[in-house]
Amino acid sequence: MTRFSDRFDPGPQIAQCGTVNLGTRDLEKSLFFFRDTLGMEEVERDGNVSYLRCYQELGHHSLVLTEQDENIVNAFSFRVKRPQDVELFAEELARQGIETLEVPAGTERGRGTAVRFLVPGSQHPFELYYDMEKPLAPEAMRSRLPSNSSKRRGLGVRRIDHFNVQTSPDTINQAERWVRDTLGFKRREFAHLADRRDTVLASWMSVTPQVHDLAMVANAAGKTAQLHHVAFNLQDFSDVLSAADTLRDLDVSYGVGPGKHGIGQAMYLYIHDPGSDHRVEIYAGGYLIFDPDWEAIEWQPEAFPEGMTWYGDPIDTRPGSRGRDTTGCAGLYLPQHPRPKLVAAG
């Protein structure tokens, strides 16, 4: 007997923020940061590629570290809701005339077949997949809680939380609209540029009850295909404060924080992986959205600084400012990475 829900086909959907493949010039330094300090489990090593997961992630990995000449993001990956959704999305991309690449199963260890493409407008390399192995951790590392893949270690990052990416003011409207219309992301909070009121400054979007699984932001330098940060989730505000103490003692490079965002209402701390200089946000708290009729909240320019920092280190939001750090300012993100190519990561 079929379930009632099986009689209806909602079409392909994104389930969650899945994995990120970060290029690093120094794999061992990056492992010191993500594995030894943040507490991720190194599930597998394949030559110059390391696969890691957080202690509450059952899947094979959420982070791939690839030792290479450039500190670039090789891929942002999202898991879809059903096995057939990979092919259905591929068909839709082809219908729109978007070039795609099939990434065979096993190209990224533990992961099934994926479809790879560059986001129209922003040119970020996205991959969509469904199948992911769920290996047990080594017995000595295994948690007695079956919902945890391993024991809590280090700073105790629980899971990958979200991606924050940048594109140019001239392309952000196209890219932000496309990820909503085609991939099904819902706009939760947003702002427009003060001097271009028809242009998105920043948009926080999600496919889950989180305020954002993906943020898309206007890059002041006019660049596309930029990363601002990848965020990993901690359980409590106090965990972020403890992490700040530990990371300062280890001389890990700081950006801004700890503080609390008004947008999303989570505690933040921006830091940098010493192996690659990729920016990482340590993130805890935030509110959840369950209303099916949620209306996106618009932040006006005069209130936007409180959106960036409700309390904690103030984030300078003045146009063109190059103060202590502009890492948290949605309109002033510093360009970080060259343009990616449509080639398979891994």
Side-chain angles (χ1 to χ4, degrees), residues 15-16 81 159 186 188 205-213 264 286-291 294:
Q16 64 186 114
K81 286 193 173 181
R159 58 180 170 81
K186 297 178 182 179
R188 303 304 197 176
M205 299 169 283
S206 69
V207 291
T208 68
Q210 295 193 130
V211 173
H212 65 315
D213 303 302
Y287 68 90
L288 300 176
I289 298 170
F290 299 105
D291 296 347
W294 178 267

Side-chain angles (χ1 to χ4, degrees), residues 167-173 190-203 217-220 298-301 304 317 319 329-332:
T167 189
S168 73
D170 292 334
T171 60
I172 190 169
N173 282 1
F190 71 103
H192 285 110
L193 287 167
D195 57 347
R196 294 172 59 173
R197 295 310 301 270
D198 60 344
T199 300
V200 171
L201 164 62
S203 176
V217 177
N219 178 274
E298 180 175 5
W299 285 79
Q300 300 300 327
F304 196 70
T317 58
C329 172
L332 304 173

Side-chain angles (χ1 to χ4, degrees), residues 96 98 117-125 165-179 216-217 222-226 339-340:
Q96 294 185 25
I98 297 170
F117 60 94
L118 301 181
V119 174
S122 76
Q123 298 297 295
H124 289 94
V165 301
Q166 319 161 333
T167 189
S168 73
D170 292 334
T171 60
I172 190 169
N173 282 1
Q174 175 193 4
E176 192 260 0
R177 169 63 70 176
W178 188 88
V179 299
M216 190 166 283
V217 177
K223 294 193 175 187
T224 60
Q226 302 296 300
R339 182 186 299 275

